[in-house]
Amino acid sequence: MSLLRLRAVLRGPGGLRGPGIPWRIFRSYSSASTKEKANRNVPCERTELLEVLKARAKQLQGSSVPEVTVSKVEVAALDNDKFQEAVVPGPKEKQPIPRAQGDGLAQSSTWAKKLQKEMYSQQPKMKQELGSAASQLALEAKGEATPKTKTMKSPKVPKTKAAPAWTQSSGSPHNKPRVVEVKGAAELKRPQKMPKDTSNQQVLQQTIQANLECFLFLQQAEEAERYLLLCHSSPVKRKVMDVGAFNIVMRIWARKGCLNRLDRLFSILEAAGLQPNLDSYATALECAGRTPSPAKAVLRYLQQLNSSGFHVDELFQKCLFEEDEKEKVLFAIRTVQPNYQLPPPPSPKISKSSLLQDFYSRETMGAYPKLDFSVQELQECFQQQLDMELKNTVTIESVEAAKPLTPQAIKARELLGTLRSQWRDAILQALQNSKRSMARPKRMSKYNVLYPYLCLLPDEEYVDIMLQILNDLSPQGESLAMLARELGSKVYDRYIIQRKLRSGQLEKVQQIYESYIQLLAKDSQPKQYLPREYWEKLVAEAGFGPSLNLKSCTWPCVLLMRLGMHMLELLVKAVKVPRNILNRRLESKPIPVLYHVYSFYSNWQVGLIRPHPIFSQLMSNAAETTLTFNSSAMPMLCPPVPWTSPTFGAFVLNDTKLMRFMDDTTHHQLLLEQCPLVNLHPVLDALNQLGNCAWKINQPVLDIIISIFNDKGDEKLDIPPPLSEAPKPPTPGNSSTWSKSFKHEVFLCKKKAAEMHSLRMDALYKLSIANYVRDKVFWFPHNMDFRGRTYPCPPYFNHLGNDVTRAILLFAEGRPLGPKGLDWLKIHLINLTGLKKKNALQERLEYANEIMEDILDSADHPLTGRKWWMDTDEPWQALACCMEIAKASRSPDPAAYISHFPVHQDGSCNGLQHYAALGRDLSGAASVNLVPCGLPQDVYSAVAQQVEEFRKKDAERGLKIAQVLQGFISRKVVKQTVMTVVYGVTRYGGRLQIEKRLKEIDEFPEEYLWEASHYLVKQVFNSIKEMFSATRDIQNWLTESAKLIAQSGRTVEWVTPLGLPIIQPYYRSRSTVLNCGMQRLSVKTSNSSQKPDTVKQKNAFPPNFIHSLDSTHMMLTALHCLRKGLTFVSVHDCYWTHALTVDVMNQVCRQQFVALHSEKILQDLSEFMLEKYCSSSNSSTEPIAHWQKRLKEQLSNVPSTGEFNLKQVMDSTYFFS
């Protein structure tokens, strides 16, 4: 089975996204391979073949006739797919819709005639079309940001007819697809009123900015200025243009040394009512420094700079430079001020956070811990990482057992090699043909607007991207919208890397990194700096050269989709395979490899790109054993570049955001950029500390896992079996009549196969990457979500993974066990089994000693012995721990044994711990182990006991459902609901959770499920309210505050105790229809220009606020563990360190929890929100008195607190255990 075309469904909190692999793009596949299907029932084959034949008929029709007959279908959005698409021809009334003129892809195949290879260097004839092409993109982006229908007579899009009415709209997932006939031409022409919404302006502004950045990259000065003036002459575009747009064009002329053109732009800028900023003056002085300019001109700009309220020193303190721009500005200044000296670097600012005064104190600061690497070794590691990132992708061997190479496989691989070579040539030719068509003057089409974006990279790179998509395609097809978005994103990622290379940033990073490793290398002098501080010091000392914080222009979603769609259409049109390649008896006619088809997902429909079965069979026969990943999906082979700002850190070249956020949601980035950098220092330092932890592979455990993986897997051990083990669909008695039950059974088989396939690929990716780095030391750079929760950037393989992934990870640094280390390993093992949760630590240790024989047997004979480890909650981590205990206990001196094994300490229902501490809730604190106790308290059992008492009283009063529930209320029934109450679960959601648990009890009468779950969720909420009274008060206060804020039209914002600004990214969404060639795409966008989603803002605030607190606690613990010399990483509220240092970590963890909750958290939150939402300076123009008065009263009424003494946490053994 071909592995390259398979992807796993990878979903996680906030999405496990790595740079270059956006979390929203990960693709899911839905069923088995073609080879598997060959053994299944004939009707399934007929259905699939029919789909392909229909698609082929449509494709032939599209290339030979000028009209396509379709009808419009409105359907609901596919779940978790931001870019919905769905179209099928309607069965009833139809009306011909003409195709767009100038659409080469819709015409006959003569467009694919061979042309000479176009050189990557820019040709003069390209330039003439660039300006008009980019202006057309801005025009379309503006037009398509509204649902306004354009017709063939629209004056704004010359020579363009209405595109095919492939359309889809979002609707209720519960509604069936609704067929609507296409309206008459008169109705199509009727203009719709443009909604007054700033999202239009945001998309237009981003598009203008992106177009100008393209011209800057391509050094097309004339086209850039023509386009700028065209935008300036348009009243609509002039409204969204700012001084930044003028600055981009000025930078192009500055590099050419054309000072007279800059003078002209300055005049236009001022005539437009805009004021030059520092960047404007820096660009003018750079231009003057590149040519022999009269001193009078330089003096004029300097005087204008001063009269604008700026100081010349600010040019070097606040402006960002590329290449030699900084030197040229200085040269120009010295022509009139020969003695001018650069301002000294600003003295480092120290965070004023009261929680970190000791941490940042130079008196208590020790030397930064060293890695077990020399300077030379770290330099080699850096070079390996750089080489990997420059290649963009990494191809590795799969761990799937290599089958013997059969003659069939050898022949299939040879055929694929030949075909891929032909496909590469065909795609390259199609791309160049398309670009030539776009570059022709007087030949406008909807594709021309993309021309500048197809010139940013060498043609071969676009071809590589398209071929990678083809190789990764599942036999069952992919959502057209997701493929388009992925293609566009890949181009953008490579463009950003090219910008970094062009600006000279890479050379500077290399230079600084060579000095930076002096901080980490074992053969260098100890230094009392944090990684961020040392990097900043080296940057300041470097002086000249490009800035490392380059402002990168974000491409709007509309642009990414349109670019991706064009590339996808080229791919579909260009890639063909001989029809008789597997059966020589057939005609040797070339047929397309890819088809555009439509598929149902429940009641929803999406457009798919599906490969022909011949291609799928060929891939299956070839049985290739390699996997290809983006370089940003792999662990780093050198210590990460330290985070020094919201835009710089982690990978060497790959673009990485400090904070993950949704599509087109820019408010987070703006908040971070506006926040004083010193306020972000604690968060940056914590992320650097987590990322600097070095890892290695536990090879013996990995080998055992791979052996089981290749031996049909084991679902009990969480090793997914291959698709050969999937249930086979039943064979119908009569193939012409399928009963409803038979169809349902077939559906369940396909669903199971899809789940097995996803899990299998997930495991394959993780294990293959682990095997690739089995002999290496590696690192996981970290970033965070909008709440401050931290995640490793590589998405597939990291320590946030499942039991299997965690079991094969070890700290690269080893430490002796010390006097208590072996005991901690044994306690950790028993924690992993889940057998002694209610017992004291000493009892767990005694139990481990009692079963020592089983532990040693598991370590020595994992697959042939008594297999005790298999019957535990976390079997693979338990096995790894058994092996570590065996090695340590058999060593001559266990205390001196060097251990690399991570030992975990888990918070006890951590969300409720924070609530209980916030409210000083005495009874709640005791239930979640904030109070010292001889045995661990189990809040779930306590709630179950309380619910049982309520049930008994109700049963005595004769309540029927209370009597039915006798004997069925347990810890397991209520656990999930109790756990999620703190994270905002509603009574509706809680009822579903309890109903699911009751269904698992065979003896429970099914007819009482609804009534029983309804009754129990009410009693669980009552129990929590009684046990955690302060918790419910705080949760209600947070919820009501967020509701009033959102109703006033604002989003909920706050600042964590560490100074991290947070905003909730929940806005009402709207759809933008993209009129693409194969079908219309309805792109659903939700961004800060829309109104806030009141319900989400309200419901999400309490859990998000608590998450921001648990993140703050973790970061404080990480930073103070650094000061104690500990190795520390975390999985949210699960903290890891060496067995030697568990006691120290436990002490630090408790100290920081007490310190955090000793702050006036709720009071500070109230004051912040009163200032932000209720102060007179921020008052809205809407009716103020009513909502503002209510909000002020609500925010001022901070919940009262109880009598719990926080210092008791210091002595609580089971707070984290």
Side-chain angles (χ1 to χ4, degrees), residues 76-94:
L78 176 63
D79 187 27
N80 288 330
D81 187 353
K82 286 187 173 297
F83 313 106
Q84 312 93 34
E85 73 278 14
V87 189
V88 291
K92 297 185 179 179
E93 296 182 40
K94 301 177 182 180

Side-chain angles (χ1 to χ4, degrees), residues 351-353 675-684 1055 1058-1061:
S351 171
K352 301 297 183 183
S353 171
C675 179
L677 195 54
V678 66
N679 292 359
L680 297 178
H681 284 173
V683 172
L684 300 177
V1055 177
L1058 276 186
L1060 179 67

Side-chain angles (χ1 to χ4, degrees), residues 828-848:
H828 176 56
L829 173 62
I830 304 306
N831 289 345
L832 291 169
T833 66
L835 297 173
K836 299 288 179 180
K837 291 179 179 177
K838 298 181 182 180
N839 295 68
L841 292 182
Q842 185 60 37
E843 292 172 354
R844 298 179 205 180
L845 178 59
E846 290 168 1
Y847 177 70

Side-chain angles (χ1 to χ4, degrees), residues 390-671:
L390 285 171
K391 290 176 184 174
N392 293 304
T393 59
V394 181
T395 300
I396 67 176
E397 284 295 319
S398 159
V399 296
E400 203 160 41
K403 299 172 186 175
L405 264 182
T406 62
Q408 183 189 39
I410 294 172
K411 182 180 178 182
R413 291 186 185 184
E414 289 175 353
L415 276 175
L416 271 177
T418 304
L419 286 171
R420 283 172 178 155
S421 177
Q422 294 171 1
W423 293 340
R424 178 176 291 277
D425 293 341
I427 297 170
L428 182 63
Q429 181 178 318
L431 175 65
Q432 293 175 344
N433 189 29
S434 172
K435 287 171 65 176
R436 288 174 183 271
S437 176
M438 292 177 184
R440 291 175 194 160
K442 301 180 183 178
R443 183 178 169 83
M444 291 293 293
S445 82
K446 61 192 170 188
Y447 295 105
N448 289 30
V449 298
L450 298 174
Y451 181 61
Y453 296 90
L454 294 172
C455 299
L456 296 174
L457 306 174
D459 289 345
E460 290 74 13
E461 287 208 35
Y462 293 98
V463 176
D464 287 342
I465 290 170
M466 288 187 265
L467 282 176
Q468 187 182 344
I469 291 293
L470 177 63
N471 285 333
D472 289 347
L473 193 61
S474 159
Q476 287 70 49
E478 286 294 344
S479 158
L480 180 139
M482 280 195 170
L483 287 176
R485 184 59 189 263
E486 188 167 3
L487 281 163
S489 296
K490 285 180 181 291
V491 172
Y492 174 76
D493 291 336
R494 295 200 186 195
Y495 159 65
I496 291 299
I497 289 177
Q498 290 301 318
R499 278 190 58 186
K500 290 181 179 180
L501 296 175
R502 178 85 64 85
S503 72
Q505 182 179 326
L506 175 59
E507 289 79 2
K508 189 166 183 178
V509 169
Q510 283 181 292
Q511 170 196 339
I512 293 172
Y513 197 93
E514 285 182 8
S515 302
Y516 169 70
I517 56 182
Q518 299 287 331
L519 178 72
L520 308 173
K522 62 184 178 182
D523 56 346
S524 59
Q525 291 298 315
K527 293 178 175 59
Q528 287 186 320
Y529 289 98
L530 294 168
R532 172 190 54 78
E533 293 173 337
Y534 196 57
W535 188 276
E536 288 173 345
K537 173 179 177 289
L538 294 171
V539 170
E541 290 172 354
F544 291 105
S547 306
L548 297 183
N549 293 325
L550 293 181
K551 286 184 179 177
S552 60
C553 173
T554 302
W555 289 359
C557 176
V558 169
L559 171 57
L560 289 172
M561 293 291 287
R562 190 178 293 285
L563 177 60
M565 279 293 292
H566 180 62
M567 293 172 67
L568 201 52
E569 290 179 24
L570 289 176
L571 190 62
V572 170
K573 194 72 177 179
V575 178
K576 297 181 184 295
V577 64
R579 182 165 174 255
N580 67 342
I581 196 164
L582 296 179
N583 185 351
R584 293 297 175 186
R585 290 175 296 178
L586 299 174
E587 184 185 358
S588 63
K589 182 181 178 180
I591 58 174
V593 170
L594 301 176
Y595 291 87
H596 177 215
V597 299
Y598 299 93
S599 180
F600 275 95
Y601 286 82
S602 182
N603 285 340
W604 304 340
Q605 291 179 314
V606 293
L608 298 178
I609 295 297
R610 180 171 289 177
H612 194 284
I614 288 177
F615 173 73
S616 300
Q617 187 64 50
L618 198 58
M619 294 289 283
S620 178
N621 293 346
E624 294 175 317
T625 57
T626 55
L627 296 168
T628 300
F629 297 98
N630 283 356
S631 58
S632 54
M634 302 295 286
M636 287 190 71
L637 304 178
C638 68
V641 175
W643 285 106
T644 56
S645 77
T647 56
F648 183 80
F651 291 96
V652 179
L653 276 177
N654 288 313
D655 193 39
T656 315
K657 298 294 185 187
L658 175 67
M659 187 174 279
R660 306 163 179 223
F661 46 81
M662 309 287 282
D663 291 330
D664 290 347
T665 302
T666 57
H667 214 146
H668 294 100
Q669 196 66 22
L670 291 174
L671 267 185

Side-chain angles (χ1 to χ4, degrees), residues 42-58:
V42 174
C44 290
E45 292 179 347
R46 288 175 180 168
T47 303
E48 182 172 322
L49 184 58
L50 186 61
E51 284 183 353
V52 171
L53 290 174
K54 285 180 179 178
R56 177 58 176 154
K58 191 187 80 172

